[in-house]
């Protein structure tokens, strides 16, 4: 019944800034909610209407407004009208997350979905909250594929910049251990702990608040280190990052804009490592490094 539905329009703001578009939407006196898609650095504003006719009127007004807003440096991408249950309006953001199959061994599934896995496939449930890491983004996805690829040959795992905890949890499900993970954001570490508990692996992962500048953790080095951190931070803290990798171990560097990857390679070459492999997806490049 339409009485139970809202008619909504999605607006994507790739600038990653909440305020400019929010102020302009408020000026139009529209009802809307906003969600920060941290993985893709995009703010999504969802505009609501009680009827389809009102939604069509909103779309016309927004189409005109988007032309004017460019003068203020605000450029939004507008989607089609869709419906959502009134009871679910505050969780409209969930529609942007889908299951991601990493391999025949691992399926990433948002916690509110119930897609069935293949026979023998482990299911990693994830509730992203406001933390980076759902498997949707190229950089996270590459790290997950590396964890899957090296399962068995590598045992100890470090997830540096853990966000939602997805990489550490994947490691636990694929029988890595010991597993350490850290993030500079205490809220991210809290979300990671909740996700680890959701997947019943909380006791297998050591989670800490820390940063790549000086984090040391436990005394041991790691067979596999996944550093899903922005390129300029990787370069700045390369010597500490390299110190985490065991002799013969593997370092996966991700979260790097394509234009910065060669600079990252040069920095880690200076720190004694060589590039083994690189993977490019859209504007992002990731790679595997080992000691020279």
């Amino acid at each position: 019944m339409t009485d139970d539905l809202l008619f909504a329009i999605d607006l994507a703001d790739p600038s990653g800034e909440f305020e400019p578009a929010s102020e302009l939407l408020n000026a139009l006196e529209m009802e809307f909610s906003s969600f920060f898609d941290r993985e893709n650095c995009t703010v999504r504003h969802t505009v609501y209407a009680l009827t389809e006719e009102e939604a069509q009127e909103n779309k016309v007004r927004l189409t005109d407004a988007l032309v004017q807003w460019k003068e203020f440096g605000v450029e939004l991408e507008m989607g089609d009208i869709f419906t959502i249950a009134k009871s679910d309006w505050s969780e409209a953001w969930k529609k942007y997350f889908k299951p991601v199959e990493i391999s025949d061994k691992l399926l990433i599934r948002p916690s509110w979905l119930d897609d069935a896995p293949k026979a023998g496939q482990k299911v990693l449930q994830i509730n992203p909250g406001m933390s980076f890491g759902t498997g949707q983004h190229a950089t996270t996805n590459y790290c997950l594929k590396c964890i899957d690829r090296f399962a068995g040959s590598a045992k100890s795992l470090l997830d540096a910049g853990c966000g939602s905890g997805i990489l550490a949890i994947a490691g636990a499900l694929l029988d890595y251990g010991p597993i350490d993970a850290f993030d500079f954001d205490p809220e991210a570490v809290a979300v990671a702990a909740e996700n680890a508990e959701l997947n019943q692996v909380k006791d297998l992962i050591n989670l800490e608040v820390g940063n790549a500048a000086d984090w040391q953790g436990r005394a041991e080095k790691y067979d596999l280190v996944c550093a899903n951190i922005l390129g300029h931070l990787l370069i700045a803290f390369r010597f500490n990052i390299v110190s985490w990798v065991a002799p013969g171990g593997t370092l996966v560097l991700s979260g790097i804009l394509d234009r910065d990857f060669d600079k990252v390679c040069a920095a880690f070459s200076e720190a004694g490592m060589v590039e083994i492999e690189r993977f490019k997806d859209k504007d992002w490049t990731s790679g595997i490094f080992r000691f020279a």
Side-chain angles (χ1 to χ4, degrees), residues 2-9 47-59 81-83 86:
T2 55
D3 287 348
D4 297 324
L5 297 175
L6 292 172
F7 296 84
I9 301 170
V47 177
Y48 304 100
L50 293 174
T51 66
E52 187 172 3
E53 291 76 16
E54 183 185 351
Q56 292 289 359
E57 291 174 6
N58 282 345
K59 189 162 189 176
I81 295 171
F82 63 95
T83 58
K86 286 183 180 178

XYZ file of all heavy atoms in Angstrom, residues 2-9 47-59 81-83 86:
204
model
N 0.490 2.240 -0.793
C 1.308 3.452 -0.872
C 1.315 4.224 0.437
O 2.223 5.008 0.686
C 0.814 4.366 -2.008
O -0.585 4.648 -1.805
C 0.992 3.685 -3.365
N 0.298 4.005 1.289
C 0.280 4.705 2.577
C 1.462 4.309 3.443
O 1.828 5.028 4.372
C -1.025 4.402 3.335
C -2.213 5.123 2.723
O -1.998 6.012 1.885
O -3.353 4.778 3.077
N 2.038 3.142 3.162
C 3.165 2.648 3.955
C 4.512 2.963 3.308
O 5.545 2.551 3.810
C 3.053 1.124 4.140
C 1.813 0.747 4.928
O 1.460 1.500 5.845
O 1.209 -0.291 4.598
N 4.475 3.670 2.159
C 5.694 3.918 1.412
C 6.050 5.394 1.350
O 5.182 6.263 1.426
C 5.547 3.399 -0.029
C 5.344 1.904 -0.219
C 5.106 1.591 -1.691
C 6.546 1.116 0.293
N 7.352 5.641 1.219
C 7.860 6.960 0.858
C 8.459 6.869 -0.540
O 8.960 5.814 -0.952
C 8.932 7.408 1.851
C 8.479 7.713 3.278
C 9.695 7.939 4.167
C 7.558 8.922 3.329
N 8.401 7.980 -1.268
C 8.996 8.055 -2.591
C 10.270 8.893 -2.471
O 10.224 10.030 -1.998
C 8.006 8.668 -3.584
C 6.781 7.809 -3.780
C 5.713 7.895 -2.900
C 6.719 6.903 -4.819
C 4.590 7.100 -3.063
C 5.602 6.101 -4.993
C 4.530 6.198 -4.117
N 11.386 8.306 -2.870
C 12.690 8.907 -2.565
C 13.537 9.117 -3.816
O 13.363 8.434 -4.830
C 13.433 8.021 -1.568
N 14.450 10.080 -3.713
C 15.412 10.376 -4.772
C 16.800 10.418 -4.137
O 16.998 11.067 -3.105
C 15.116 11.727 -5.448
C 13.706 11.734 -6.052
C 16.158 12.021 -6.526
C 13.265 13.108 -6.518
N 16.214 12.311 -0.617
C 15.096 13.250 -0.480
C 13.794 12.448 -0.506
O 13.590 11.604 -1.390
C 15.111 14.283 -1.625
C 13.905 15.216 -1.523
C 16.408 15.089 -1.579
N 12.890 12.717 0.453
C 11.669 11.925 0.621
C 10.425 12.721 0.253
O 10.368 13.944 0.426
C 11.545 11.445 2.066
C 12.734 10.652 2.547
C 13.721 11.247 3.339
C 12.891 9.319 2.199
C 14.818 10.527 3.775
C 13.988 8.595 2.624
C 14.946 9.195 3.411
O 16.039 8.485 3.832
N 9.404 11.987 -0.232
C 8.083 12.562 -0.507
C 7.021 11.542 -0.122
O 7.268 10.328 -0.151
C 7.956 12.930 -1.981
N 5.823 12.046 0.208
C 4.729 11.159 0.628
C 4.007 10.531 -0.555
O 3.394 9.465 -0.417
C 3.731 11.925 1.495
C 4.252 12.389 2.860
C 3.212 13.265 3.550
C 4.586 11.183 3.740
N 4.057 11.187 -1.717
C 3.361 10.677 -2.892
C 4.297 10.688 -4.096
O 5.306 11.422 -4.123
C 2.126 11.537 -3.230
O 2.571 12.847 -3.630
C 1.192 11.646 -2.031
N 3.939 9.903 -5.101
C 4.748 9.877 -6.322
C 4.699 11.223 -7.032
O 5.700 11.666 -7.597
C 4.260 8.772 -7.254
C 5.159 8.569 -8.461
C 4.790 7.352 -9.274
O 3.790 6.686 -8.944
O 5.517 7.061 -10.252
N 3.533 11.871 -6.970
C 3.395 13.191 -7.600
C 4.347 14.190 -6.954
O 5.013 14.992 -7.639
C 1.950 13.695 -7.490
C 0.941 12.912 -8.326
C 0.586 11.554 -7.725
O 0.876 11.331 -6.508
O 0.053 10.702 -8.452
N 4.410 14.169 -5.619
C 5.318 15.076 -4.911
C 6.770 14.762 -5.250
O 7.593 15.674 -5.407
C 5.099 14.957 -3.397
C 5.949 15.930 -2.581
C 5.813 15.705 -1.075
O 4.940 14.915 -0.650
O 6.609 16.318 -0.333
N 7.086 13.471 -5.402
C 8.447 13.083 -5.759
C 8.812 13.589 -7.157
O 9.941 14.045 -7.384
C 8.598 11.568 -5.687
N 7.849 13.507 -8.079
C 8.097 14.023 -9.431
C 8.331 15.533 -9.388
O 9.213 16.054 -10.094
C 6.911 13.690 -10.339
C 6.734 12.204 -10.647
C 7.795 11.639 -11.571
O 8.689 12.347 -12.034
N 7.713 10.336 -11.834
N 7.575 16.230 -8.553
C 7.777 17.672 -8.399
C 9.164 17.959 -7.813
O 9.859 18.888 -8.249
C 6.689 18.256 -7.500
C 5.298 18.259 -8.124
C 4.235 18.705 -7.141
O 4.603 19.130 -6.004
O 3.038 18.624 -7.475
N 9.555 17.151 -6.825
C 10.891 17.305 -6.240
C 11.983 17.114 -7.290
O 12.987 17.838 -7.301
C 11.095 16.295 -5.112
C 10.398 16.695 -3.823
O 9.994 17.848 -3.664
N 10.250 15.746 -2.913
N 11.763 16.131 -8.174
C 12.781 15.856 -9.190
C 12.923 17.035 -10.140
O 14.055 17.404 -10.526
C 12.425 14.578 -9.949
C 13.548 14.119 -10.871
C 13.410 12.668 -11.277
C 14.656 12.207 -12.015
N 14.613 10.778 -12.355
N 13.646 7.933 -9.078
C 12.751 7.812 -7.924
C 12.629 6.335 -7.539
O 12.496 5.465 -8.401
C 11.362 8.389 -8.256
C 11.464 9.905 -8.507
C 10.363 8.093 -7.140
C 10.195 10.529 -9.045
N 12.702 6.057 -6.244
C 12.489 4.694 -5.756
C 11.613 4.758 -4.516
O 11.413 5.832 -3.927
C 13.820 3.990 -5.458
C 14.633 4.623 -4.357
C 14.545 4.166 -3.045
C 15.508 5.679 -4.624
C 15.295 4.742 -2.029
C 16.260 6.257 -3.618
C 16.152 5.794 -2.316
N 11.061 3.621 -4.129
C 10.192 3.581 -2.947
C 10.900 2.892 -1.793
O 11.761 2.031 -1.991
C 8.880 2.839 -3.247
O 9.178 1.504 -3.699
C 8.062 3.570 -4.298
N 8.066 3.371 4.999
C 8.195 4.484 5.951
C 8.995 4.068 7.177
O 9.778 4.847 7.722
C 6.808 4.975 6.374
C 6.076 5.782 5.320
C 4.737 6.282 5.851
C 4.003 7.101 4.798
N 2.683 7.555 5.284
